[in-house]
Amino acid sequence: MTILCYGEIDLDIYVALNRLPTMERSAWCSEDFENIGGAAANSALWLANWGIPTRLAGHDLGDDRPGDVVRQLLAQQPLLDTRYIACHPGYRSPRCQCLVTPDGERSFITHWPEEVRMTAPSADMLRGVNWLNLDKSGPLPLRLQAAQMAADRGIPVLINDIYEPDNPILPLLDVLVISADIIRTHHQQEDPLSLASQLQGIGDCDVIITNAGGDLTALTRGGGLSTMSPPVVQVVDTTGAGDIFKAGLLVGLLRELPLPEAAKWGAAAGSLMCQYAGTTKTLAPLGEVKALLDRVSLGDNSFDDGRRGD
């Protein structure tokens, strides 16, 4: 069983701050380090660390020091196939600064996004793949091409953060993960459950609504609706929590669990990641995810739009 994670790959610079800086008022840094980042790379590293054969592609790297760091760290995972990550002489590898405050919230500074290069999906890249895990960040055309190629080959597709009913990827999906917090912030006229139902009807896909540490909701193609409460943990850093949620979800989907049971794996994995600084600096073993599964409680068939705190 192989998962292809296609999308963002970069070098993250984690910076722990006492608060975000403002004009003429500096912030204090208590810790900083580099680790691999980008939504696709985050999911891929955790999956490979859990013993799942994983293929990573999307963003290309340069022949510079950041690119060398990323390649060296990726090479430490024997089950991670990176042959489709191209290297370009003279190209600046994608980088991102992650500014993390004591409450675990993060802000990002993305370096030279207009220069980012991506390797196009190919038939060879999809050969032997059982699930395609896409992220939504960046240009649409290549991700749309990947989704279409996967759908044509009967490979199920998972993606996050589609909120527009006219998005051309939507009809190609099998599972969509969206955020009630993002809907409240950026689509204030929409009710999360109503929007999820609309997107599900167009995409004929399963939909999971995450909720910033609060109750999750899973809507199945057959019309089922389930809620669950993720475990309460001590939050250090929420960077990449959604990416690791998807990695955990994929563990459940590979085991052919019903959507709510698979979503429990996602909730446990995302919560676990929040206890560590840096999305990929510490790759927790699958046993730690399993230990949190019993703390994910299934609720009734109602949607809680309120925040519980991370």
Side-chain angles (χ1 to χ4, degrees), residues 205-252:
C205 57
D206 295 325
V207 180
I208 298 173
I209 310 170
T210 63
N211 199 20
D215 287 356
L216 293 87
T217 304
L219 293 80
T220 62
R221 281 186 172 109
L225 185 151
S226 302
T227 62
M228 65 198 69
S229 300
V232 177
V233 297
Q234 183 64 44
V235 173
V236 174
D237 180 13
T238 59
T239 308
D243 307 329
I244 311 310
F245 174 91
K246 289 171 67 187
L249 173 65
L250 282 163
V251 171

Side-chain angles (χ1 to χ4, degrees), residues 174-209:
D174 291 86
V175 182
L176 169 64
V177 179
I178 59 176
S179 164
D181 198 43
I182 290 178
I183 295 171
R184 284 189 293 264
T185 303
H186 300 288
H187 306 269
Q188 298 178 4
Q189 74 281 8
E190 298 281 0
D191 169 72
L193 185 57
S194 297
L195 179 58
S197 298
Q198 181 185 9
L199 296 172
Q200 182 184 55
I202 296 171
D204 187 28
C205 57
D206 295 325
V207 180
I208 298 173
I209 310 170

Side-chain angles (χ1 to χ4, degrees), residues 151-181:
D152 291 345
R153 289 161 174 76
I155 301 170
V157 179
L158 164 66
I159 198 171
N160 58 291
D161 293 333
I162 287 181
Y163 302 96
E164 310 80 18
D166 60 348
N167 190 297
I169 292 183
L170 195 55
L172 303 172
L173 298 182
D174 291 86
V175 182
L176 169 64
V177 179
I178 59 176
S179 164
D181 198 43

Side-chain angles (χ1 to χ4, degrees), residues 107-126:
S107 302
F108 303 114
I109 300 174
T110 303
H111 294 211
W112 38 85
E114 298 86 358
E115 300 179 15
V116 170
R117 300 184 186 183
M118 293 185 72
T119 294
S122 65
D124 190 56
M125 188 185 294
L126 287 162

